[in-house]
């Protein structure tokens, strides 16, 4: 894994004419979505690498927070595997490379919807809103505790910022009102706990909720995902905010070499 990672870094540096630097970091990566396993959600992959997330967690059938256990940095989900993977790589490369530990990047929204199921989550926002608030609160608390334990494990200072990935920020699958009433308050809690939010990612359409994202004081900019409208983003974003503009994956995956 270490050798192949270095080969890929070298190949990219030598063959792609962009400003990506050649760095001495080696991520102890296990693939996407390790944080789902911390909450008891099974994660598997097809032979082509497509992730498969469990869809029948006990909470999916019963809206009861007692079905969730606090996340343990040593034992929950993939944590024993992640720690061993990290320690093996550190032992292998010594001080020649900077091995980086996995991160908990998911916000609270993606995890809540995976735990409850999309339709049940939407129904919960109408029928049992207090349960939704409590579930999102629990996920924010577990996320922050995990990052605090991560810092202690690595001998680092407590995290002073975090980035969030919640792909269910995708209008119309999630309404702006649901984002405003349920998700934004939790993001403001995350900002308060960590001190700052360095970025918020969603592959979906964020345009209708940008006005709420801008209420996060420390957020330095807006992501313009492939489904987010750039022209409207330019109208919504204050001039001091940066924009991260993404291409659609199909612009490469189904394009000819000339189009790429």
């Amino acid at each position: 894994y270490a050798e192949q990672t270095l080969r890929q870094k070298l190949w990219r540096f030598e063959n792609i004419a962009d400003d990506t630097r050649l760095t001495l970091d080696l991520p102890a990566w296990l693939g996407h979505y390790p944080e789902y396993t911390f909450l008891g959600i099974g994660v598997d992959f097809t032979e082509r690498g497509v992730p498969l997330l469990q869809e029948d967690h006990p909470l999916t059938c019963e809206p009861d927070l007692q079905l969730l256990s606090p996340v343990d940095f040593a034992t929950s989900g993939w944590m024993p595997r992640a720690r061993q993977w990290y320690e093996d790589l550190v032992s292998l490369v010594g001080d020649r490379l900077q091995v980086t530990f996995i991160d908990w990047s998911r916000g609270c929204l993606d995890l809540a919807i995976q735990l409850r199921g999309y339709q049940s989550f939407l129904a919960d926002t109408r029928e049992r809103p207090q349960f939704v608030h409590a579930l999102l609160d629990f996920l924010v608390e577990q996320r922050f505790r995990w990052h605090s334990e991560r810092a202690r494990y690595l001998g680092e200072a407590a995290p002073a910022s975090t980035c969030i990935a919640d792909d269910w920020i995708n209008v119309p699958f999630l309404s702006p009102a649901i984002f405003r009433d349920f998700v934004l308050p939790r993001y403001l809690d995350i900002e308060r706990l960590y001190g700052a939010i360095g970025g918020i990612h969603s592959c979906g359409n964020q345009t209708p909720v940008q006005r709420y994202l801008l209420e996060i004081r420390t957020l330095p900019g807006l992501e313009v995902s492939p489904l987010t409208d750039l022209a409207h983003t330019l109208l919504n974003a204050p001039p001091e905010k940066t924009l991260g503009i993404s291409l659609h994956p199909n612009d490469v995956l189904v394009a000819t070499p000339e189009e790429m």
Side-chain angles (χ1 to χ4, degrees), residues 145-159:
R145 285 181 57 250
W146 185 91
H147 274 118
S148 299
E149 290 294 327
R150 179 185 188 272
R152 279 191 284 273
Y153 172 69
L154 298 175
E156 298 176 350

Side-chain angles (χ1 to χ4, degrees), residues 140-254:
V140 168
E141 177 189 357
Q142 298 307 307
R143 187 183 196 272
F144 181 70
R145 285 181 57 250
W146 185 91
H147 274 118
S148 299
E149 290 294 327
R150 179 185 188 272
R152 279 191 284 273
Y153 172 69
L154 298 175
E156 298 176 350
S161 178
T162 189
C163 291
I164 296 171
D166 267 331
D167 282 324
W168 276 109
I169 306 174
N170 188 9
V171 180
F173 291 97
L174 192 82
S175 73
I178 289 177
F179 182 87
R180 177 197 65 208
D181 295 344
F182 294 94
V183 183
L184 177 62
R186 303 293 77 74
Y187 284 5
L188 294 174
D189 287 342
I190 290 174
E191 181 184 45
R192 174 180 53 79
L193 287 168
Y194 289 85
I197 294 178
I200 295 176
H201 161 76
S202 171
C203 295
N205 175 23
Q206 304 175 45
T207 318
V209 303
Q210 286 174 338
R211 56 177 171 163
Y212 302 124
L213 292 172
L214 292 171
E215 294 185 27
I216 302 170
R217 179 182 52 83
T218 58
L219 188 66
L222 298 174
E223 178 193 52
V224 185
S225 72
L227 298 181
T228 297
D229 187 277
L230 177 58
H232 281 88
T233 301
L234 290 169
L235 295 175
N236 293 338
E240 68 273 11
K241 297 293 184 180
T242 61
L243 299 181
I245 301 174
S246 303
L247 296 176
H248 196 288
N250 282 350
D251 292 338
V252 171
L253 293 175
V254 299

Side-chain angles (χ1 to χ4, degrees), residues 1-254:
Y1 169 83
E3 178 182 351
Q4 182 63 22
T5 301
L6 295 179
R7 287 184 181 279
Q8 288 175 310
K9 287 161 75 78
L10 285 167
W11 186 93
R12 173 169 183 158
F13 184 74
E14 293 168 355
N15 290 277
I16 300 178
D18 63 6
D19 357 342
T20 302
R21 296 179 299 153
L22 190 59
T23 60
L24 292 177
D25 63 296
L26 177 65
W29 199 56
L30 291 174
H32 290 295
Y33 313 125
E35 54 271 81
Y36 287 79
T37 72
F38 305 161
L39 297 160
I41 299 172
V43 178
D44 203 351
F45 297 88
T46 70
E47 61 182 13
R48 294 177 62 87
V50 177
L52 302 172
L53 304 183
Q54 178 186 354
E55 297 180 348
D56 60 350
H57 187 280
L59 198 73
T60 308
C61 301
E62 184 68 29
D64 182 357
L65 289 184
Q66 294 186 14
L67 296 171
L68 294 175
S69 299
V71 174
D72 188 302
F73 189 83
T75 63
S76 292
W78 285 359
M79 283 308 303
R81 176 184 171 195
R83 291 169 62 135
Q84 189 66 54
W85 188 230
Y86 171 79
E87 291 164 13
D88 286 349
L89 287 171
V90 169
S91 176
L92 177 68
V93 305
D95 59 2
R96 294 173 294 171
L97 299 172
Q98 178 62 46
V99 182
T100 57
F101 196 72
I102 63 170
D103 199 7
W104 181 323
S105 62
R106 292 291 126 185
C108 50
L109 178 62
D110 280 9
L111 295 167
I113 290 180
Q114 194 63 36
L115 286 165
R116 281 294 287 144
Y118 172 66
Q119 291 180 326
S120 295
F121 179 85
L122 290 187
D124 289 340
T125 63
R126 296 295 301 272
E127 298 169 5
R128 47 184 75 87
Q130 292 310 311
F131 166 77
V132 177
H133 285 300
L135 173 58
L136 295 173
D137 278 341
F138 173 84
L139 295 171
V140 168
E141 177 189 357
Q142 298 307 307
R143 187 183 196 272
F144 181 70
R145 285 181 57 250
W146 185 91
H147 274 118
S148 299
E149 290 294 327
R150 179 185 188 272
R152 279 191 284 273
Y153 172 69
L154 298 175
E156 298 176 350
S161 178
T162 189
C163 291
I164 296 171
D166 267 331
D167 282 324
W168 276 109
I169 306 174
N170 188 9
V171 180
F173 291 97
L174 192 82
S175 73
I178 289 177
F179 182 87
R180 177 197 65 208
D181 295 344
F182 294 94
V183 183
L184 177 62
R186 303 293 77 74
Y187 284 5
L188 294 174
D189 287 342
I190 290 174
E191 181 184 45
R192 174 180 53 79
L193 287 168
Y194 289 85
I197 294 178
I200 295 176
H201 161 76
S202 171
C203 295
N205 175 23
Q206 304 175 45
T207 318
V209 303
Q210 286 174 338
R211 56 177 171 163
Y212 302 124
L213 292 172
L214 292 171
E215 294 185 27
I216 302 170
R217 179 182 52 83
T218 58
L219 188 66
L222 298 174
E223 178 193 52
V224 185
S225 72
L227 298 181
T228 297
D229 187 277
L230 177 58
H232 281 88
T233 301
L234 290 169
L235 295 175
N236 293 338
E240 68 273 11
K241 297 293 184 180
T242 61
L243 299 181
I245 301 174
S246 303
L247 296 176
H248 196 288
N250 282 350
D251 292 338
V252 171
L253 293 175
V254 299

